[in-house]
């Protein structure tokens, strides 16, 4: 029961991160901001993610999983309240940053918690957490899109419902089993010093999974930030429900891919993800050029397979090559690459589209993803890697 509860919290937190996706168009009309501002609002979420990773990344190891999870849920509550009562663009920036902070702390805490609850089967823990992550990303925009389209108060009802969901899972967390045996009880015993870095011995092996994670999260960020605008401007589909459903499709395909490819080795999954990035972004541009909703649905499916396989495979590769004594630093470095991929390309697309149109911006985005994918494949083939470097304490 504890495993189910912790996995569900991952899904709930990530659902909150994509809940505003089909609402951005409404906010844009209400507050009158530009497309560039919209992408910056989306990217504020990543600022919160990076803050959580760099400052609070090891917090739950020190104070306990439950005591770290509850403040993360509290950050999600505050973020939701800021969205609920937003009266201008500045509020949206604050809400997104707080959402990123809460999700960042919750994700790190819940992943460690799951690994300890599951036991020795770390692959199972990774599949559960990754699947819950993508299911949450899928359900958030679908729910918000349907409520915005068919229920009154489109900018309020989704957040009211989400607050109720957080309250339920907050109560479940109070009853979940604590797995940290000796948590710190004094502030002086807690260190917030960032731990990030890649040992020299595995730097070349690190490149391929890091670039894969960057590309996979760039695809997710593209849809989460820009799918409603593309549907409205390029495909002339203005339904909020349709915008939510498109991002739901992406998340659902990602989650299904993670589960269905569990028999693939980590490298095979990563290489399949990289190989599919090129045709998926090509189809994405073709859908806009043809103004074809059917092609867009096909592109979303292919992007979902690529992102799901690429993310699962690259994360598993990182866990395999990271020396035990530097595991936290290496995994944190990988997630910095992922979060950067989730934000920077989206900002670039927003800026280019404001001056040259969405189609050209999407084409440049596709070209960047293709170059990165080819480079990652080359590194993956040339630097296959061996066993993790042993920790200094293990050398006798």
């Amino acid at each position: 029961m504890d495993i189910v509860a912790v996995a569900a919290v991952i899904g709930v937190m990530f659902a909150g991160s994509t809940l505003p996706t089909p609402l951005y168009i409404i906010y844009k009309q209400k507050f009158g901001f530009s497309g560039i501002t919209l992408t910056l609002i989306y990217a504020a979420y990543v600022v919160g993610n990076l803050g959580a990773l760099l400052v609070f990344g090891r917090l739950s190891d020190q104070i306990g999983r439950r005591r770290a999870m509850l403040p993360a849920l509290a950050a999600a509550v505050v973020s939701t309240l800021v969205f609920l009562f937003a009266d201008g663009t500045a509020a949206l920036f604050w809400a997104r940053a707080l959402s990123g902070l809460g999700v960042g702390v919750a994700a790190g805490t819940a992943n460690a918690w799951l690994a300890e609850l599951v036991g020795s089967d770390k692959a199972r823990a990774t599949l559960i957490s990754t699947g819950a992550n993508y299911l949450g990303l899928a359900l958030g925009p679908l729910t918000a899109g349907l409520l915005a389209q068919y229920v009154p108060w489109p900018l309020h009802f989704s957040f009211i419902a989400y607050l109720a969901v957080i309250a339920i899972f907050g109560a479940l967390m109070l009853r979940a089993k604590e797995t940290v045996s000796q948590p710190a009880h004094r502030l002086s015993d807690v260190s917030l010093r960032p731990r990030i870095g890649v040992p020299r011995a595995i730097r070349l092996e690190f490149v391929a999974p890091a670039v894969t994670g960057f590309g996979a999260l760039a695809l997710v960020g593209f849809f989460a930030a820009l799918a409603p605008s593309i549907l409205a401007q390029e495909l002339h589909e203005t339904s909020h429900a349709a915008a939510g459903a498109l991002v739901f499709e992406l998340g659902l395909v990602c989650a299904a891919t993670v589960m269905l490819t569990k028999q693939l080795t980590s490298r095979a999954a990563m290489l399949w993800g990289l190989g599919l990035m090129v045709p998926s972004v090509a189809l994405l541009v073709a859908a806009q050029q043809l103004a074809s909703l059917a092609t867009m649905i096909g592109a979303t499916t292919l992007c979902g397979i690529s992102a799901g396989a690429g993310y699962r495979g690259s994360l598993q590769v990182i866990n395999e090559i990271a020396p035990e004594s530097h595991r936290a630093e290496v995994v944190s470095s990988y997630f910095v690459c992922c979060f950067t991929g989730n934000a920077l390309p989206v900002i670039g697309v927003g800026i280019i589209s404001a001056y040259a149109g969405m189609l050209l911006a999407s084409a440049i985005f596709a070209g960047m993803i293709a170059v990165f994918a080819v480079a990652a494949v080359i590194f993956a083939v040339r630097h296959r890697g061996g066993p993790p470097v042993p920790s200094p304490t293990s050398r006798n």
Side-chain angles (χ1 to χ4, degrees):
M1 182 61 186
D2 288 334
I3 293 174
V4 174
V6 173
V9 164
I10 295 176
V12 167
M13 292 297 286
F14 277 99
S17 73
T18 52
L19 199 66
T21 293
L23 309 179
Y24 287 142
I25 293 280
I26 307 175
Y27 281 122
K28 186 177 178 181
Q29 295 168 347
K30 181 178 180 180
F31 297 142
F33 52 75
S34 67
I36 296 176
T37 301
L38 189 154
T39 55
L40 291 175
I41 289 170
Y42 174 82
Y45 168 81
V46 179
V47 174
N49 279 158
L50 290 172
L53 178 66
L54 297 176
V55 180
F56 302 111
R58 296 186 295 136
L59 187 63
S60 73
D61 291 335
Q62 300 175 76
I63 69 172
R65 308 305 180 203
R66 186 188 300 113
R67 290 168 65 191
M69 181 63 77
L70 293 177
L73 289 169
V77 169
V78 175
S79 167
T80 305
L81 289 172
V82 175
F83 270 120
L84 187 60
F85 296 106
D87 57 358
T89 305
L92 301 183
F93 279 101
W94 281 108
R96 286 292 290 168
L98 285 167
S99 175
L101 180 65
V103 170
V105 174
T109 300
N111 278 302
W113 208 348
L114 269 178
E116 291 158 353
L117 289 170
V118 168
S120 60
D121 191 354
K122 304 305 182 188
R124 180 184 171 217
T126 300
L127 284 173
I128 292 172
S129 64
T130 308
N133 177 335
Y134 279 126
L135 279 176
L137 290 174
L139 290 172
L142 178 67
T143 303
L146 289 171
L147 292 176
Q149 187 69 31
Y150 301 113
V151 176
W153 313 317
L155 294 180
H156 299 88
F157 200 90
S158 298
F159 298 114
I160 293 172
Y162 187 62
L163 285 171
V165 172
I166 295 176
I168 293 170
F169 283 92
L172 287 177
M173 289 300 96
L174 288 172
R175 302 174 60 86
K177 176 185 176 183
E178 178 58 71
T179 54
V180 175
S181 58
Q182 295 181 320
H185 294 286
R186 295 183 302 175
L187 189 60
S188 59
D189 295 331
V190 177
S191 172
L192 299 179
R193 182 174 63 86
R195 289 179 60 183
I196 187 169
V198 180
R200 184 183 300 274
I202 64 167
R203 285 178 186 170
L204 291 176
E205 299 164 46
F206 178 84
V207 172
V211 174
T212 306
F214 180 100
L217 269 292
L219 291 176
V220 173
F222 183 91
F223 277 85
L226 301 170
S229 297
I230 291 173
L231 285 179
Q233 297 172 17
E234 307 294 320
L235 277 65
H236 313 295
E237 175 56 70
T238 58
S239 168
H240 304 305
L246 193 69
V247 185
F248 169 77
E249 179 197 349
L250 179 80
L252 190 63
V253 171
C254 284
T257 300
V258 168
M259 297 302 173
L260 294 174
T261 61
K262 62 184 180 181
Q263 300 303 322
L264 287 179
T265 65
S266 56
R267 280 179 49 80
M270 181 178 74
L271 290 172
W272 270 106
L274 287 169
L276 289 173
M277 282 183 189
V278 177
S280 66
V281 291
L283 199 59
L284 190 61
V285 175
Q288 296 176 61
Q289 176 68 47
L290 299 171
S292 168
L293 183 59
T295 307
M296 189 67 179
I297 292 171
T300 304
T301 299
L302 205 54
C303 284
I305 296 172
S306 174
Y311 178 71
R312 196 275 287 179
S314 61
L315 178 56
Q316 193 170 330
V317 168
I318 289 294
N319 281 322
E320 290 167 358
I321 69 173
E324 190 64 37
S325 59
H326 295 278
R327 188 172 302 280
E329 293 98 317
V330 175
V331 172
S332 294
S333 300
Y334 168 79
F335 280 120
V336 167
C337 296
C338 290
F339 293 152
T340 303
N342 195 230
L344 283 186
V346 171
I347 295 173
V349 170
I351 293 172
I352 295 170
S353 65
Y355 296 100
M358 182 61 76
L359 183 59
L360 179 60
S362 296
I364 293 173
F365 170 81
M368 179 205 72
I369 292 294
V371 169
F372 275 40
V374 171
V377 168
I378 292 172
F379 268 90
V381 171
R382 296 181 65 176
H383 305 283
R384 293 179 177 273
V389 178
S391 64
T393 56
S394 66
R395 294 173 186 160
N396 296 316

